[in-house]
Amino acid sequence: MLRNALGKTFRFLGYTVQYGCIAHCAFEYLGGIVVCSGPSMEPTIQNSDIVFSETLSRHFYCIRKGDIVIVKSPNDPKSNICKRVIGLEGDKVCTSNPSDFLKSHSYVPKGHVWLEGDNLRNSTDSRCYGPVPYGLIRGRICFKIWPLNDFGFLRASPNGHRFLDD
């Protein structure tokens, strides 16, 4: 009887460890569900929207301009932020705020990306903390899950004019 109970306990623990490893690999290498908070990505992503973030793009260096990414915050490594990629390494980016009369530009250094929120007037982003190391990217947002009436792929940036081509 004791042997039977121990056998069932160890079998249960074995399955728990196996499924735990599978879940870890799925979330680390495939993606996961993220609840977004804050106004910086409005109108594309509203406060409390639920999105799916895939991580394969970051592993294979497939992040492109216009992608919305989840990134470890350069100011607070315990939290993640959601921003749009405006520039990749070597790109010329506008580093000034939309309300600035004189516009300033800079180039994104090697191994970094330039991130901005879609709500430029209410976003703490690369205009404040500078280029972000590529290694801080946790995943790329593919589509919105919730609310259901907005389910699907994310729309283009309302600030497309900030993407510079030279």
Side-chain angles (χ1 to χ4, degrees):
M1 175 133 148
L2 179 61
R3 186 178 194 161
N4 190 21
L6 281 175
K8 286 183 180 182
T9 302
F10 283 123
R11 232 181 340 272
F12 175 75
L13 286 174
Y15 287 131
T16 303
V17 169
Q18 284 177 339
Y19 291 126
C21 290
I22 291 169
H24 167 74
C25 289
F27 288 125
E28 182 66 26
Y29 298 105
L30 296 178
I33 295 171
V34 178
V35 178
C36 296
S37 63
S40 72
M41 284 303 294
E42 292 175 354
T44 309
I45 298 174
Q46 305 289 328
N47 194 30
S48 300
D49 280 358
I50 300 174
V51 296
F52 179 77
S53 170
E54 60 87 14
T55 57
L56 290 174
S57 292
R58 101 178 141 104
H59 290 298
F60 293 115
Y61 296 93
C62 296
I63 301 294
R64 296 177 300 188
K65 278 198 273 189
D67 286 346
I68 299 175
V69 292
I70 303 293
V71 181
K72 283 281 180 203
S73 172
N75 293 339
D76 178 16
K78 292 180 182 173
S79 66
N80 292 322
I81 58 174
C82 176
K83 303 292 179 195
R84 189 179 297 272
V85 177
I86 301 298
L88 302 169
E89 62 181 52
D91 287 345
K92 183 180 179 181
V93 292
C94 179
T95 59
S96 53
N97 289 312
S99 59
D100 293 349
F101 181 71
L102 294 174
K103 303 297 182 197
S104 58
H105 297 85
S106 181
Y107 287 92
V108 180
K110 186 174 177 68
H112 290 71
V113 293
W114 189 268
L115 304 175
E116 292 181 2
D118 285 354
N119 185 355
L120 292 173
R121 297 193 192 289
N122 197 3
S123 177
T124 302
D125 48 38
S126 287
R127 293 169 296 152
C128 299
Y129 43 71
V132 176
Y134 195 93
L136 292 182
I137 296 175
R138 309 307 316 145
R140 181 180 65 90
I141 294 180
C142 296
F143 55 88
K144 194 182 294 189
I145 298 172
W146 189 263
L148 286 177
N149 64 343
D150 212 10
F151 180 88
F153 293 103
L154 299 171
R155 67 188 90 156
S157 172
N159 306 310
H161 62 282
R162 299 219 16 120
F163 295 91
L164 301 176
D165 289 327
D166 52 342

